[in-house]
Amino acid sequence: LLELQGVGKVYGESGLSVAALRGVDLRVEAGELLSIMGPSGSGKSTLMNLLGCLDRPSEGRYLLEGRDVALLTDNELAEIRNRRIGFVFQTFNLLPRSTALENVELPLVYRGLPAAERRRLAREALEVVGVGHRLTHRPAQLSGGEQQRVAIARAIAGNPGVILADEPTGNLDSRTGEEIIALFQRVNRELGVTVIQVTHDLHRARQTRRIVRLRDGRVVDDRPVPEA
Amino acid sequence: LLELQGVGKVYGESGLSVAALRGVDLRVEAGELLSIMGPSGSGKSTLMNLLGCLDRPSEGRYLLEGRDVALLTDNELAEIRNRRIGFVFQTFNLLPRSTALENVELPLVYRGLPAAERRRLAREALEVVGVGHRLTHRPAQLSGGEQQRVAIARAIAGNPGVILADEPTGNLDSRTGEEIIALFQRVNRELGVTVIQVTHDLHRARQTRRIVRLRDGRVVDDRPVPEA
Ligand SMILES: Nc1ncnc2c1ncn2[C@@H]1O[C@H](COP(=O)(O)OP(=O)(O)OP(=O)(O)O)[C@@H](O)[C@H]1O
Ligand SMILES: Nc1ncnc2c1ncn2[C@@H]1O[C@H](COP(=O)(O)OP(=O)(O)OP(=O)(O)O)[C@@H](O)[C@H]1O
Ligand SMILES: [Mg+2]
Ligand SMILES: [Mg+2]
């Protein structure tokens, strides 16, 4: 489904030069449930941005269902980002002047769904992550963990085939974090959704089936989680 | 040093009404090292904002060194916020158009320190938290954990008497998180700095000396951490 071949990423704007990823090979099959771990600054978010077509490699190739992403048109890329992939950002990236409900509804607009249907799907997603009682709050009126869950709801509401979640439980107590990983396990098991999460929590990582480790922009380990 | 008496906080703007804290009694002596835990949405950040004089209680009293904060002048409050308390925000709150170094230097301007001294203190704080190699990066050019550490550096650079850290290790791998808690332990032990951290990580909480637990805006537990 997703394949990175010799992928590198160098950030070079405004005089800085940082090799955030180097020589990354990664193959993810449809229906996998895996975790990416590694020290702060090791390139995990950079990797997720490439997988989510939010940025392009500086070198190497990214094949999405066998097609080189560099050869896709802007329309095709937009369709992938808006309909096929649900992205949970490490810093949430919610619209500050929209309510929780509006934030979750917005990506559904791209699907051409009628307003009543969008509202229903958005409401359901917010209830599933436990913030159904905060629909009318704007981000500044939400706790950190509530904002994080709105970001998760936004990623799942449109039923994407792939969920990319960048540290989705970092601001959550362990019980709420447990509910989120259970949600990922459920959509993976019942709907075949491919789930890739970045996490710093080994406990959360072991609730997936494979752990890929980065260090200084390289993959240094990639193995299945042993059956419990 | 810090005392909350019957403190409540209701958020009531734009038609919403949320009782985020109710009937909170809390006494913190100078030199303590303690953790605040509780479910997402239970009122921890609200409590920290009150302790840091960033907001006022809706009911009850907050005594800071025996003085009712409600009776302090704006100048006195500003002096407390800028010089006596270092605050690490859950969502970092870095200035997007300033570099890491500039972000850490800014609070030191209020102390009337000369530029060379500010630069030295800021650089040292950034090195201590391990982002000395990212001084010229702006927040958008930093990883999530690097942004979090810049926020920590900003809070400690001016040697405040009290550090309030709202989930300071949520975006950090365990080894980097270990370095941060070790830093808090060190300034507490060697400089007598009072440190209050919100954390969702029981392991990090047990590296402090007392754990206060919130649930639905109330303190439901408050006890020392047993000696290891
Ligand atoms: N400005 C506001 N207006 C209305 N409600 C608010 C506002 N800020 C926070 N709240 C609500 O108050 C409650 C407590 O928020 P707070 O940020 O203190 O929680 P928290 O314990 O820090 O949670 P987390 O662990 O998720 O960061 C939450 O349910 C939140 O929705
Ligand atoms: N736009 C940018 N310009 C320059 N350097 C950048 C930029 N974005 C990220 N970096 C650097 O690239 C490296 C990798 O960043 P990335 O965000 O992928 O790390 P990460 O593994 O997600 O870290 P964390 O666990 O702290 O979130 C970091 O050292 C960071 O400073
Ligand atoms: Mg990251
Ligand atoms: Mg909070």
Side-chain angles (χ1 to χ4, degrees):
Chain A
L1 180 67
L2 311 173
E3 184 164 6
L4 299 176
Q5 298 176 342
V7 161
K9 178 68 186 179
V10 175
Y11 290 113
E13 76 261 16
S14 51
L16 304 172
S17 178
V18 176
L21 289 176
R22 330 169 200 216
V24 172
D25 296 316
L26 185 71
R27 259 184 84 102
V28 180
E29 310 291 334
E32 284 202 54
L33 173 63
L34 70 103
S35 299
I36 298 174
M37 299 189 80
S40 173
S42 56
K44 305 177 299 296
S45 296
T46 301
L47 178 62
M48 295 290 269
N49 289 342
L50 295 182
L51 290 173
C53 299
L54 297 164
D55 201 356
R56 293 169 176 281
S58 311
E59 56 180 38
R61 290 199 303 168
Y62 175 26
L63 303 181
L64 185 52
E65 292 182 326
R67 303 182 62 198
D68 188 338
V69 160
L71 304 178
L72 296 177
T73 66
D74 283 350
N75 275 348
E76 286 171 310
L77 281 173
E79 202 242 348
I80 285 166
R81 280 196 299 260
N82 295 330
R83 300 181 66 154
R84 312 257 307 276
I85 295 175
F87 205 107
V88 185
F89 294 91
Q90 185 170 5
T91 50
F92 319 150
N93 296 2
L94 300 177
L95 298 179
R97 285 178 294 182
S98 300
T99 65
L101 190 63
E102 290 162 351
N103 262 285
V104 177
E105 282 182 303
L106 184 58
L108 303 177
V109 172
Y110 296 117
R111 297 171 155 255
L113 295 171
E117 178 73 358
R118 290 200 305 268
R119 187 132 302 204
R120 184 183 70 79
L121 287 172
R123 205 184 263 276
E124 269 175 34
L126 285 159
E127 304 237 348
V128 160
V129 299
V131 291
H133 61 315
R134 293 286 183 260
L135 300 184
T136 58
H137 287 231
R138 289 178 172 73
Q141 298 167 326
L142 294 170
S143 79
E146 290 166 347
Q147 291 177 39
Q148 186 155 46
R149 286 180 278 162
V150 172
I152 294 166
R154 180 176 63 180
I156 64 169
N159 278 318
V162 179
I163 292 171
L164 300 175
D166 197 346
E167 298 193 35
T169 62
N171 280 279
L172 300 175
D173 54 283
S174 59
R175 182 166 153 196
T176 312
E178 199 68 41
E179 290 167 20
I180 294 304
I181 193 75
L183 164 66
F184 291 162
Q185 290 170 331
R186 189 164 68 247
V187 299
N188 174 255
R189 186 179 58 238
E190 296 177 8
L191 304 177
V193 176
T194 306
V195 178
I196 301 173
Q197 68 166 5
V198 170
T199 182
H200 282 308
D201 187 329
L202 188 56
H203 182 66
R204 296 285 164 241
R206 286 177 173 158
Q207 290 171 297
T208 63
R209 293 193 295 272
R210 172 184 171 194
I211 299 173
V212 174
R213 288 183 181 272
L214 296 186
R215 174 178 289 281
D216 293 327
R218 296 179 188 279
V219 174
V220 297
D221 200 52
D222 183 351
R223 66 180 67 189
V225 174
E227 292 293 327
Chain B
L1 180 68
L2 312 173
E3 183 162 7
L4 300 175
Q5 299 176 342
V7 161
K9 178 68 186 180
V10 174
Y11 290 113
E13 73 261 17
S14 50
L16 305 172
S17 178
V18 175
L21 288 177
R22 329 168 202 218
V24 171
D25 297 316
L26 185 70
R27 260 184 84 101
V28 180
E29 310 291 336
E32 285 201 54
L33 173 62
L34 70 104
S35 299
I36 299 173
M37 301 189 78
S40 174
S42 57
K44 305 179 298 297
S45 295
T46 302
L47 179 62
M48 295 289 269
N49 288 343
L50 295 182
L51 290 173
C53 299
L54 298 165
D55 203 355
R56 293 169 176 280
S58 311
E59 55 181 38
R61 288 200 305 169
Y62 175 26
L63 304 180
L64 184 53
E65 291 183 328
R67 302 180 63 195
D68 189 338
V69 161
L71 305 176
L72 296 178
T73 66
D74 282 351
N75 276 346
E76 287 172 308
L77 282 172
E79 203 243 347
I80 287 167
R81 280 195 300 258
N82 294 329
R83 300 181 67 153
R84 311 256 309 276
I85 296 175
F87 205 108
V88 186
F89 294 91
Q90 186 171 4
T91 50
F92 320 150
N93 296 4
L94 300 178
L95 298 179
R97 284 178 295 180
S98 299
T99 65
L101 190 63
E102 289 162 351
N103 262 285
V104 177
E105 282 181 304
L106 185 58
L108 304 177
V109 172
Y110 295 118
R111 298 172 156 254
L113 295 171
E117 178 72 0
R118 291 200 304 268
R119 187 132 303 203
R120 183 183 72 79
L121 286 172
R123 205 183 263 276
E124 269 176 33
L126 285 159
E127 303 238 349
V128 161
V129 299
V131 291
H133 61 316
R134 292 286 183 260
L135 300 183
T136 58
H137 287 231
R138 291 178 171 71
Q141 298 168 325
L142 294 170
S143 78
E146 289 166 347
Q147 291 176 40
Q148 185 154 46
R149 285 180 279 163
V150 172
I152 293 167
R154 180 175 64 179
I156 66 170
N159 278 319
V162 179
I163 292 172
L164 301 176
D166 197 346
E167 298 192 37
T169 61
N171 280 279
L172 300 176
D173 55 283
S174 61
R175 183 168 153 194
T176 311
E178 199 68 43
E179 291 168 19
I180 294 306
I181 192 76
L183 165 67
F184 290 162
Q185 289 170 333
R186 189 164 69 247
V187 299
N188 174 255
R189 184 179 59 238
E190 297 177 6
L191 303 177
V193 176
T194 307
V195 178
I196 302 173
Q197 68 165 7
V198 170
T199 182
H200 282 307
D201 187 329
L202 188 55
H203 181 66
R204 296 283 164 240
R206 285 177 175 158
Q207 289 170 298
T208 63
R209 293 194 294 272
R210 172 184 171 194
I211 298 175
V212 174
R213 288 182 182 274
L214 295 187
R215 174 178 288 282
D216 294 326
R218 297 179 188 281
V219 175
V220 297
D221 200 53
D222 183 350
R223 66 181 67 190
V225 173
E227 291 294 327

